[in-house]
Amino acid sequence: TDISLKLLKSKTDPTLVKTRYVDELTKSKVFETYQIGELVATDEDDDELASVLESLVDDVDLILVADYGHGLISQKHLEIVSNSTAVKAVNTQSNAGNRGFNSISRYGSVDIVCLNGSEVGLELKKRHVPLEVLVEELAHRTKAKFAAVTNGVKGVVYLDSRDSSGATQSVPAFSTKVTDRVGAGDALFVASALSWTAGNSGLLSAVLGNLAGAASLAGLGNQVTIDRISLQKHMSALLK
């Protein structure tokens, strides 16, 4: 199905602007500031987005929800997504503007969930617990068929319902050049979710996700565009 891009613009809230202050020598983020409007969308904006979602959710195989926790996604939108027969993949991000308030639990059951290590610890309210244990609990709590948690330079830990062993597995990080971490988790989330939905194993999905994340790490900001050809090249280089 050919689905056109739907771009909605709020009539009341300004565009959220995040300004990063970067060390010129290392290119590392020192700190960032937010310029943000209301944390709850107006009824008009809420209804408009709901209308667009209702027109699309039955015509797709996969719904990717990258929830940054700034008030766009309401309970009405969650219900529309939940009622869809498409595979539902969700990443709820924890950041300085929403820490502790943007929980994956508000989605009920999902098919794919992807968080980072600090987010899953905050979500489950547990510290000093092996990540493998946290991934198992995350999958159980969200009823996810594929759960992946990124673990920085250690790669990703995942649990795949298609794996007959029922055990968590890990895939190492493939990054050889780290210029900027912005967008790396998003790249991993999208690539692994697309792969798993296409019927690939959890292992291959996690590998592709890590390769996409590594490609993103090599560029500043979101300047790197990751596509099928670039992933194939990375995979080819990895197998040599």
Side-chain angles (χ1 to χ4, degrees):
T1 302
D2 181 22
I3 298 177
S4 301
L5 175 66
K6 303 288 185 179
L7 181 63
L8 304 182
K9 183 177 180 180
S10 172
K11 298 176 180 61
T12 56
D13 286 351
T15 298
L16 189 154
V17 178
K18 295 184 179 182
T19 304
R20 299 192 307 143
Y21 294 83
V22 178
D23 181 273
E24 185 175 0
L25 181 61
T26 64
K27 305 301 181 185
S28 298
K29 183 182 72 174
V30 180
F31 66 95
E32 65 183 3
T33 59
Y34 289 11
Q35 292 179 335
I36 188 170
E38 293 294 327
L39 292 179
V40 178
T42 64
D43 290 340
E44 184 177 3
D45 290 339
D46 193 71
D47 290 341
E48 187 176 3
L49 179 55
S51 177
V52 171
L53 287 174
E54 287 175 333
S55 70
L56 297 176
V57 292
D58 292 330
D59 296 322
V60 297
D61 300 313
L62 169 65
I63 299 174
L64 289 161
V65 183
D67 187 347
Y68 298 98
H70 295 307
L72 174 67
I73 301 174
S74 70
Q75 186 61 37
K76 182 186 299 183
H77 307 143
L78 296 183
E79 291 173 0
I80 294 171
V81 170
S82 296
N83 291 332
S84 171
T85 58
V87 174
K88 292 168 278 289
V90 180
N91 165 240
T92 50
Q93 185 182 104
S94 176
N95 54 52
N98 67 31
R99 191 165 180 81
F101 293 95
N102 196 36
S103 173
I104 190 70
S105 62
R106 66 193 292 253
Y107 285 84
S109 62
V110 298
D111 298 296
I112 299 171
V113 61
C114 183
L115 302 177
N116 68 36
S118 62
E119 288 165 347
V120 72
L122 183 64
E123 175 67 32
L124 301 177
K125 305 296 188 294
K126 291 185 177 180
R127 301 174 62 185
H128 312 304
V129 176
L131 193 56
E132 291 77 10
V133 175
L134 294 179
V135 172
E136 289 181 356
E137 185 170 336
L138 177 68
H140 176 73
R141 182 173 298 190
T142 60
K143 300 180 176 61
K145 300 177 181 68
F146 179 71
V149 176
T150 57
N151 195 23
V153 296
K154 296 181 180 180
V156 62
V157 176
Y158 72 90
L159 184 64
D160 180 20
S161 63
R162 295 172 181 164
D163 187 346
S164 59
S165 72
T168 56
Q169 307 289 338
S170 62
V171 173
F174 302 127
S175 54
T176 56
K177 177 184 178 183
V178 179
T179 301
D180 191 351
R181 292 179 175 83
V182 168
D186 299 315
L188 183 149
F189 166 55
V190 173
S192 58
L194 285 170
S195 173
W196 192 89
T197 303
N200 293 321
S201 67
L203 174 59
L204 179 56
S205 299
V207 167
L208 288 172
N210 266 4
L211 286 171
S216 176
L217 286 169
L220 189 63
N222 292 312
Q223 66 182 198
V224 175
T225 299
I226 302 168
D227 55 21
R228 179 173 58 86
I229 294 175
S230 64
L231 274 182
Q232 287 177 333
K233 289 180 178 178
H234 282 289
M235 178 68 81
S236 178
L238 178 67
L239 294 175
K240 288 181 179 179

